[in-house]
């Protein structure tokens, strides 16, 4: 990186209107709080309602970053072309069988949105059920939500968001006439589940603060204003969703925060019944239900099973007193999910950092695993639409191996390769090297690192590196195939994923050690990975570009404050950087449900101190920060636009040095960024152009 990488331009300077806040005897002053629109709920629904002063400032930010990145316009087009060239434009999923049909999705040439189709079970002509491109016509933003066909195959329940605010509208399509019924319902969570007779469905309604507070039942043809309230959650600290079983026997209402769960159930044949409580919420007790005919399979941490165990309970009375152990807890073996079939139980688990699929014969109790040859890989468990079947579906990939989809016969143990991800522009796995390292953390822990680089890249410390991290909510970033990052790897980059604490890469304890009072482990782990990569001559500090989004964007803000000298550039996408202010504001959509993850600074002085110690916005200092790129969406309900806007403004006011801080805000999207598959590639190309620019590689051509 050189200080001359960016042309000289005067950045926007935000006005300062200091507002003070005192909690637990501690006072803070926020000079940029005015960037939060008083009518933010209305702005999420209609961006045109944004205050003029705020809009002018955000548009000035976009003008500034466009000026500084103007010389990469050609590079962005090249990167976009490369990434698009690796996508099969008319790609199609392998249809999954359900009764007389097989259902799947596809894209048409040049299409941004998926199409959903079905064909006769054993093959035949496709029927397009829903064309996302057609539905998106004339809309600046469009995103499809859940898609669910009725069990009689006559109707389709589908959802869309055309603002980026994640207030989804639910629609019902008649599959005979291909016309939507008048039954459109606004402000839903984005999916629904059919009752057994297919004449109505259950869904969640979002309140004004974007919380799924109600489960309702809608009967086809009725006025949605008269929909029956099935259950209302009074505690704003809990998420809620409603789903069904594949046998169409049960409706499951799941209520949870990040450490506690609760289920209510009712028969799908009796949508007017009152839901029955399975086990009341108990702080720290987590459980999930999976169908099993006359039993429910229960994945739970009950009784201190930190890495989870599987229990059963009679379906007619699954209260906790009736739970019986089936698969015991094994420390270090984290059971991630289970799928029940008539004759089998399938579980996806992780042991020693690698996933595996285990099949259990329900009658005999005998278990077997599906074997794989590579040392590091990623698995996905797709399951099946059907309950009474011997065949289930899974996916496989690695950082060098393109994704593959298999059907697996659980009885014969035969696997059938259905599809290998096609890379139209070509992909030779032998040109790439993938490695798994363990970086020493300051407290003695070892942090897993997944690496991908071109076989011709010289590892003498001169290679640039994109170092990606997340580290929250127990989410594990898989070492999976990613065609986009090849545009960097082919230009000599080392692409690295830091599997820091806060994920579940090394079991549930890995998550516990990266949350609340121990959150700083996440940041220290990431910095330790950067230093280890330098020590092992994979790269140099001024050539590392750190990247993370959402809670990973918070990670970016924290490490920028803690070790600005460890990085040559930082990309923070939809970054959660004003953590303390957000956790103090219980009116925001995600604040109450997030307290178990971060702590509640409203009631706890210790939680306040902990968050205040690392919150990126609160800890911006007079550091010589590397070049920083922040990316956000105006209608984002998860990380509100004013967090990165304020952070960027404060960075410019307080930092030393000449490195620029850029802020790119999409005025027509939310948390997920641009909605179309190719529009999203343009955003990735922009971020990659920034990484190439700050490392002095923007003029390089791909390696042979």
């Amino acid at each position: 990186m050189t200080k001359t990488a960016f042309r000289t331009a005067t950045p926007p300077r935000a006005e300062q209107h200091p507002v003070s806040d005192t909690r637990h005897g501690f006072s803070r002053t926020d000079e940029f709080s005015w960037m939060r629109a008083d009518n933010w709920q209305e702005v999420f629904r209609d961006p045109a309602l944004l205050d003029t002063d705020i809009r002018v400032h955000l548009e000035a930010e976009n003008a500034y970053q466009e000026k500084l990145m103007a010389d990469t316009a050609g590079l962005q087009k090249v990167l976009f072309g490369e990434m698009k060239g690796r996508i099969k434009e008319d790609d199609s999923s392998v249809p999954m069988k359900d009764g007389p049909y097989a259902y799947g999705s596809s894209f048409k040439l040049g299409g941004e949105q998926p199409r959903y189709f079905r064909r006769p079970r054993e093959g035949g002509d496709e029927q397009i059920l829903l064309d996302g491109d057609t539905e998106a016509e004339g809309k600046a933003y469009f995103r499809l939500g859940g898609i669910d066909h009725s069990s009689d195959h006559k109707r389709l329940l589908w959802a869309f968001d055309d603002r980026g605010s994640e207030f989804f509208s639910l629609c019902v399509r008649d599959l005979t006439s291909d016309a939507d019924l008048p039954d459109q319902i606004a402000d839903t969570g984005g999916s629904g589940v059919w009752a057994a007779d297919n004449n109505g469905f259950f869904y969640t309604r979002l309140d004004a603060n974007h919380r799924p507070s109600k489960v309702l039942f809608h009967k086809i043809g009725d006025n949605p204003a008269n929909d029956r309230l099935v259950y209302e959650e009074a505690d704003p600290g809990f998420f809620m969703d409603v789903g069904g079983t594949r046998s169409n026997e049960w409706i499951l209402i799941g209520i949870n925060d990040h450490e506690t769960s609760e289920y209510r159930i009712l028969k799908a044949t009796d949508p007017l019944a009152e839901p029955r409580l399975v086990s009341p919420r108990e702080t720290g007790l987590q459980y999930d239900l999976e169908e099993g005919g006359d039993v429910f399979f229960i994945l739970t941490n009950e009784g201190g099973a930190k890495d989870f165990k599987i229990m059963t309970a009679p379906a007619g009375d699954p209260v906790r007193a009736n739970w019986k152990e089936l698969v015991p807890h094994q420390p270090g073996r984290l059971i991630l999910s289970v799928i029940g079939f008539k004759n089998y139980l399938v579980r996806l688990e992780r042991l020693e950092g690698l996933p595996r699929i285990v099949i259990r014969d329900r009658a005999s109790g005998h278990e077997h695993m599906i074997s794989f040859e590579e040392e590091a890989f990623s698995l996905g468990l797709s399951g099946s639409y059907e309950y009474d079947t011997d065949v289930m579906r899974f996916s496989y990939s690695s950082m060098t191996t393109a994704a593959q989809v298999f059907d697996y016969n659980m009885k014969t143990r035969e696997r059938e390769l259905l599809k290998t991800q096609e890379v139209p522009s070509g992909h030779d796995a032998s040109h790439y090297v993938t490695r798994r390292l363990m970086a020493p953390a300051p407290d003695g822990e070892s942090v897993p690192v997944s690496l991908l680089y071109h076989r011709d890249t010289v590892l003498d410390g001169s290679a640039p590196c994109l170092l990606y991290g997340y580290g929250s909510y127990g989410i594990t970033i898989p070492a999976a195939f990613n065609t986009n990052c090849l545009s960097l790897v082919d230009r000599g980059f080392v692409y690295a994923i830091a599997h820091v604490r806060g994920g579940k890469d090394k079991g549930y304890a890995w998550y516990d050690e990266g949350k609340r009072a121990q959150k700083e482990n996440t940041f220290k782990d990431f910095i330790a990975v950067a230093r280890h990569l330098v020590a092992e001559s994979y790269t140099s500090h001024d050539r590392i570009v750190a990247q993370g989004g959402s809670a990973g964007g918070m990670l970016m803000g924290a490490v920028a404050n803690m070790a600005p000298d460890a990085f040559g550039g930082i990309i923070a996408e939809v970054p959660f950087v004003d953590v303390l202010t957000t956790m103090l504001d219980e009116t925001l959509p995600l604040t109450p449900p997030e307290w178990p993850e971060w702590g509640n600074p409203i009631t706890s002085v210790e939680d306040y101190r902990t968050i205040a110690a690392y919150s990126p916005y609160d800890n911006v200092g007079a550091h010589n920060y590397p070049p920083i790129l922040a990316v956000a969406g105006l209608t984002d309900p998860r990380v509100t636009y004013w967090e990165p806007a304020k952070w960027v403004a404060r960075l410019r006011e307080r930092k030393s040095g000449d490195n620029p801080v850029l802020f790119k805000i999409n005025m027509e999207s939310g948390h997920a960024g641009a909605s179309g598959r190719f529009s999203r590639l343009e955003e990735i190309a922009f971020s990659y152009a920034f990484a190439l620019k700050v490392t002095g590689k923007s003029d390089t051509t791909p390696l042979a």
Side-chain angles (χ1 to χ4, degrees):
M1 179 199 71
T2 66
K3 290 186 177 181
T4 59
F6 293 90
R7 64 182 61 184
T8 301
T10 302
R13 186 165 188 179
E15 294 183 8
Q16 299 189 32
H17 303 289
V19 175
S20 295
D21 179 73
T22 300
R23 311 285 181 109
H24 307 295
F26 300 98
S27 293
R28 296 182 307 140
T29 299
D30 187 348
E31 64 274 31
F32 301 116
S33 63
W34 63 270
M35 292 187 188
R36 169 182 160 157
D38 292 335
N39 64 335
W40 57 268
Q41 291 102 328
E42 289 77 17
V43 171
F44 285 170
R45 297 172 184 271
D46 185 358
L49 299 177
L50 182 66
D51 177 83
T52 301
D53 289 343
I54 300 173
R55 180 177 295 279
V56 167
H57 177 73
L58 297 179
E59 290 174 346
E61 289 284 9
N62 273 338
Y64 174 69
Q65 58 85 4
E66 288 171 5
K67 185 176 294 186
L68 266 62
M69 291 291 289
D71 60 342
T72 68
L75 174 62
Q76 291 177 49
K77 289 181 180 179
V78 170
L79 295 171
F80 172 79
E82 290 175 3
M83 290 186 284
K84 185 177 180 182
R86 300 188 192 103
I87 294 176
K88 188 177 184 332
E89 288 202 43
D90 55 349
D91 200 9
S92 177
S93 70
V94 181
M96 187 176 286
K97 295 176 180 179
D98 185 20
Y101 296 101
Y103 290 82
S105 63
S106 64
F107 287 91
K108 58 189 174 186
L109 285 172
E112 291 274 8
Q113 303 287 340
R115 300 181 299 177
Y116 291 86
F117 68 86
R118 70 181 178 191
R119 62 175 63 138
R121 183 182 181 98
E122 301 306 328
D125 293 338
E126 288 185 0
Q127 176 191 358
I128 300 298
L129 308 178
L130 181 71
D131 187 326
D133 287 313
T134 299
E135 302 300 332
E137 284 181 8
K139 295 180 169 64
Y141 179 93
F142 184 82
R143 175 186 169 197
L144 286 168
I147 310 286
D148 186 25
H149 61 270
S150 58
S151 60
D152 62 5
H153 308 279
K154 294 180 179 179
R155 290 169 173 157
L156 188 75
L157 188 61
W158 66 282
F160 71 90
D161 166 25
D162 57 5
R163 290 287 186 272
S165 59
E166 299 180 41
F167 282 100
F168 284 87
S169 294
L170 267 178
C171 305
V172 180
R173 179 155 298 183
D174 183 294
L175 296 182
T176 301
S177 65
D178 284 335
D180 284 338
L181 302 180
D183 306 68
Q184 184 171 127
I185 303 173
D187 299 344
T188 77
S191 63
V193 56
W194 291 101
D197 64 4
N198 300 302
N199 287 321
F201 55 87
F202 299 83
Y203 65 96
T204 57
R205 170 72 56 78
L206 303 183
D207 62 21
N209 286 340
H210 207 277
R211 295 171 186 150
S213 58
K214 296 178 181 179
V215 172
L216 297 105
F217 176 74
H218 176 76
K219 185 177 180 180
I220 299 296
D222 282 358
N223 185 337
N226 299 326
D227 287 354
R228 185 178 80 86
L229 178 64
V230 179
Y231 178 76
E232 182 170 8
E233 177 53 50
D235 190 336
F238 280 79
F239 300 100
M240 184 166 59
D241 59 63
V242 61
T245 57
R246 283 165 295 132
S247 63
N248 300 307
E249 188 172 356
W250 296 97
I251 301 298
L252 310 177
I253 300 173
I255 306 163
N256 66 87
D257 62 15
H258 294 295
E259 63 182 13
T260 302
S261 52
E262 178 179 278
Y263 272 90
R264 284 173 164 77
I265 63 173
L266 66 155
K267 283 277 192 176
T269 54
D270 190 6
L272 300 182
E274 288 299 313
R276 292 186 290 132
L277 178 63
V278 175
S279 180
R281 67 194 69 175
E282 177 184 312
T283 300
L285 174 65
Q286 300 179 55
Y287 68 97
D288 282 315
L289 299 182
E290 170 64 14
E291 68 179 318
D294 58 346
V295 301
F296 277 114
F297 296 110
I298 302 168
L299 178 61
T300 180
N301 65 352
E302 188 266 347
K306 198 174 189 69
D307 288 318
F308 290 80
K309 60 185 176 181
I310 302 173
M311 307 184 82
T312 63
D317 192 17
V319 296
R320 190 171 171 189
N322 293 334
W323 294 5
K324 293 183 179 180
E325 186 173 274
L326 180 68
V327 179
H329 175 242
Q330 178 181 317
R333 179 195 65 185
L334 179 64
I335 304 178
L336 299 166
S337 62
V338 296
I339 300 180
F341 295 90
K342 182 178 180 180
N343 297 314
Y344 302 94
L345 176 66
V346 181
R347 68 179 187 265
L348 177 64
E349 60 188 31
R350 185 177 295 111
L351 181 67
E352 296 178 350
L354 286 178
R356 62 185 191 178
I357 296 172
V358 182
I359 316 295
R360 181 186 182 95
D361 184 289
R362 292 181 59 179
S364 67
H366 184 269
E367 296 185 348
H368 72 274
M369 287 186 295
I370 304 176
S371 61
F372 304 97
E373 295 182 359
E374 290 186 283
E375 293 183 7
F377 50 84
S378 173
L379 293 176
L381 194 55
S382 304
S384 168
Y385 278 135
E386 299 176 322
Y387 174 71
D388 185 3
T389 180
D390 291 336
V391 178
M392 69 92 180
R393 184 166 294 177
F394 71 90
S395 59
Y396 173 93
S397 76
S398 74
M399 293 184 81
T400 57
T401 302
Q404 299 174 319
V405 177
F406 293 88
D407 267 354
Y408 183 78
N409 190 302
M410 296 176 281
K411 183 177 182 179
T412 65
R413 303 190 185 184
E414 296 174 329
R415 74 182 81 176
E416 179 186 1
L417 176 61
L418 304 174
K419 177 183 178 181
T420 297
Q421 179 182 352
E422 185 178 336
V423 183
S425 60
H427 174 69
D428 187 340
S430 68
H431 289 183
Y432 303 94
V433 179
T434 183
R435 291 202 59 195
R436 186 86 159 179
L437 306 181
M438 301 300 289
D443 62 356
E445 274 287 3
S446 296
V447 184
V449 189
S450 297
L451 295 182
L452 175 71
Y453 53 90
H454 196 280
R455 66 184 182 186
D456 295 335
T457 297
V458 178
L459 301 177
D460 61 358
S462 63
C465 172
L466 187 82
L467 177 58
Y468 182 85
Y470 188 76
S472 293
Y473 307 114
I475 294 173
T476 298
I477 305 300
F481 190 62
N482 175 0
T483 60
N484 294 331
C485 72
L486 296 178
S487 284
L488 293 180
V489 173
D490 286 348
R491 287 173 170 79
F493 267 70
V494 173
Y495 182 80
I497 303 171
H499 302 282
V500 295
R501 274 173 281 191
K504 293 177 184 171
D505 306 76
K506 294 175 70 174
Y508 201 87
W510 200 244
Y511 170 39
D512 269 348
E513 292 171 11
K515 64 186 288 194
R516 298 196 68 158
Q518 301 187 81
K519 187 61 201 172
E520 287 202 0
N521 283 334
T522 303
F523 319 136
K524 292 176 180 178
D525 285 356
F526 191 84
I527 295 167
V529 169
R531 300 206 186 283
H532 185 66
L533 291 174
V534 172
E536 295 296 308
S537 297
Y538 284 98
T539 187
S540 299
H541 283 298
D542 65 349
R543 305 185 70 69
I544 298 176
V545 179
Q547 182 187 31
S550 196
M554 177 204 63
L555 169 61
M556 296 299 101
V559 301
N561 290 332
M562 294 170 66
D565 61 320
F567 307 99
I570 289 177
I571 302 171
E573 296 169 324
V574 289
F576 178 35
V577 284
D578 195 9
V579 185
L580 185 55
T581 302
T582 294
M583 288 298 103
L584 285 167
D585 187 349
E586 57 192 352
T587 71
L588 292 175
L590 294 184
T591 292
E594 298 287 278
W595 286 330
E597 178 77 15
W598 313 104
N600 184 346
I602 297 174
T603 60
S604 168
V605 64
E606 288 305 315
D607 287 348
Y608 185 100
R609 287 189 178 123
T610 296
I611 298 172
Y614 69 75
S615 177
Y617 184 62
D618 291 279
N619 288 279
V620 171
H623 307 302
N624 185 14
Y625 291 93
I628 293 175
L629 168 64
V631 181
L634 178 62
T635 56
D636 187 348
R638 299 172 184 264
V639 176
T640 51
Y641 73 85
W642 57 83
E643 289 203 31
K646 290 166 51 180
W647 179 55
V648 166
R650 181 172 280 185
L651 279 165
R652 291 208 191 102
E653 289 294 327
R654 297 188 180 181
K655 73 179 185 69
S656 62
D658 299 324
N659 291 324
V661 181
L662 286 69
F663 183 31
K664 177 181 173 64
I665 180 164
N666 190 326
M667 304 296 281
E668 296 175 332
S669 77
H671 196 68
S675 56
R677 57 174 178 161
F678 299 132
S679 297
R680 177 59 185 147
L681 290 183
E682 291 176 348
E683 294 184 342
I684 297 171
F686 182 88
S687 294
Y688 282 4
F690 175 86
L692 288 160
K693 184 177 178 66
V694 300
T695 55
K697 301 283 282 187
S698 57
D699 294 328
T700 57
T701 55
L703 297 168

